[in-house]
Amino acid sequence: QKEVEQNSGPLSVPEGAIASLNCTYSDRVSQSFFWYRQYSGKSPELIMSIYSNGDKEDGRFTAQLNKASQYVSLLIRDSQPSDSATYLCAVRPGTASKLTFGTGTRLQVTL
Amino acid sequence: KAGVTQTPRYLIKTRGQQVTLSCSPISGHRSVSWYQQTPGQGLQFLFEYFSETQRNKGNFPGRFSGRQFSNSRSEMNVSTLELGDSALYLCASSTDGGQGYGYTFGSGTRLTVV
């Protein structure tokens, strides 16, 4: 079982819709969770972090964490073509300081 | 505030050669991590340095090594290059690499081994 799993996609959503990206992780004692966005040919950039169960909102982005289900998700409201990118879920397992990344979900926002 | 700087941006090397990649973290960041990114494997953790000490190491062969200097700049070395080492090598820095901190990535070094 991979430490961090994501559906590779592509996930295709129309402009203006809500995009829902999901991630599961295997280490039950993981404490920190991050979402990165990576445009083609660019490096990943941090867009959200979440540490507690529940929702965390930042503009059009909402991160959701459910530690009991070992599940973290990212919702993008009012999706725009500029949101088309690969979204990487990252988890800090246990007490380690390193981040473990999923392989990413490619999001396509269509006009 | 300057970001994470990686040099060079592109490299072409021949099998069997060695290569050194450089990373300058954001000023004040003491943790530097290195990742290898390939289309099939995604981001694979290589190692993390904090205050000149290697704090974590991934599952890569000993041909991959690194170090960190007193000014937090880090270098990564790959010896006896293989075709499979062709990848984007990303450096990331954070303030202390502790639990609550995400990384800021550099633009990466794209290594092609021929």
Side-chain angles (χ1 to χ4, degrees):
Chain A
Q1 181 187 7
K2 289 185 179 179
E3 291 181 73
V4 181
E5 296 208 53
Q6 298 179 255
N7 189 316
S8 62
L11 172 67
S12 186
V13 299
E15 184 179 7
I18 296 175
S20 178
L21 304 160
N22 304 313
C23 171
T24 58
Y25 60 93
S26 61
D27 189 333
R28 285 195 163 274
V29 298
S30 296
Q31 297 294 324
S32 309
F33 307 86
F34 305 86
W35 283 99
Y36 284 79
R37 177 176 61 199
Q38 186 174 26
Y39 292 112
S40 181
K42 302 293 186 182
S43 60
E45 63 175 313
L46 179 64
I47 53 173
M48 289 287 288
S49 61
I50 187 167
Y51 314 114
S52 305
N53 278 329
D55 295 359
K56 179 181 177 183
E57 189 174 315
D58 184 0
R60 296 186 297 113
F61 298 98
T62 299
Q64 299 175 317
L65 175 61
N66 184 327
K67 290 185 179 180
S69 301
Q70 295 173 239
Y71 177 91
V72 58
S73 65
L74 178 71
L75 301 178
I76 306 174
R77 290 182 300 281
D78 188 24
S79 294
Q80 301 297 309
S82 59
D83 295 326
S84 297
T86 296
Y87 289 80
L88 301 166
C89 172
V91 175
R92 185 162 274 131
T95 57
S97 52
K98 70 171 189 176
L99 284 184
T100 297
F101 286 82
T103 52
T105 298
R106 188 157 65 94
L107 173 65
Q108 293 177 335
V109 181
T110 58
L111 296 172
Chain B
K1 192 175 185 182
V4 180
T5 303
Q6 289 189 248
T7 56
R9 290 294 307 275
Y10 302 94
L11 267 177
I12 299 177
K13 290 287 188 178
T14 304
R15 270 184 305 174
Q17 287 186 313
Q18 75 165 18
V19 66
T20 299
L21 312 182
S22 179
C23 172
S24 293
I26 292 172
S27 178
H29 284 195
R30 295 192 294 164
S31 170
V32 174
S33 297
W34 289 89
Y35 286 83
Q36 180 195 67
Q37 187 174 35
T38 58
Q41 297 296 316
L43 275 160
Q44 299 290 306
F45 175 75
L46 282 155
F47 25 66
E48 179 203 6
Y49 288 88
F50 180 76
S51 293
E52 302 179 66
T53 300
Q54 187 179 85
R55 187 154 66 174
N56 285 293
K57 189 176 189 304
N59 296 321
F60 278 80
R63 298 185 298 108
F64 292 82
S65 63
R67 59 178 175 169
Q68 186 179 34
F69 302 96
S70 58
N71 61 358
S72 294
R73 189 178 72 85
S74 178
E75 288 183 346
M76 190 192 102
N77 184 274
V78 188
S79 62
T80 319
L81 284 165
E82 300 177 358
L83 294 178
D85 297 332
S86 295
L88 177 66
Y89 289 87
L90 290 161
C91 163
S93 76
S94 68
T95 51
D96 71 355
Q99 283 288 306
Y101 293 89
Y103 294 166
T104 301
F105 282 90
S107 299
T109 295
R110 184 161 297 280
L111 171 65
T112 302
V113 182
V114 297

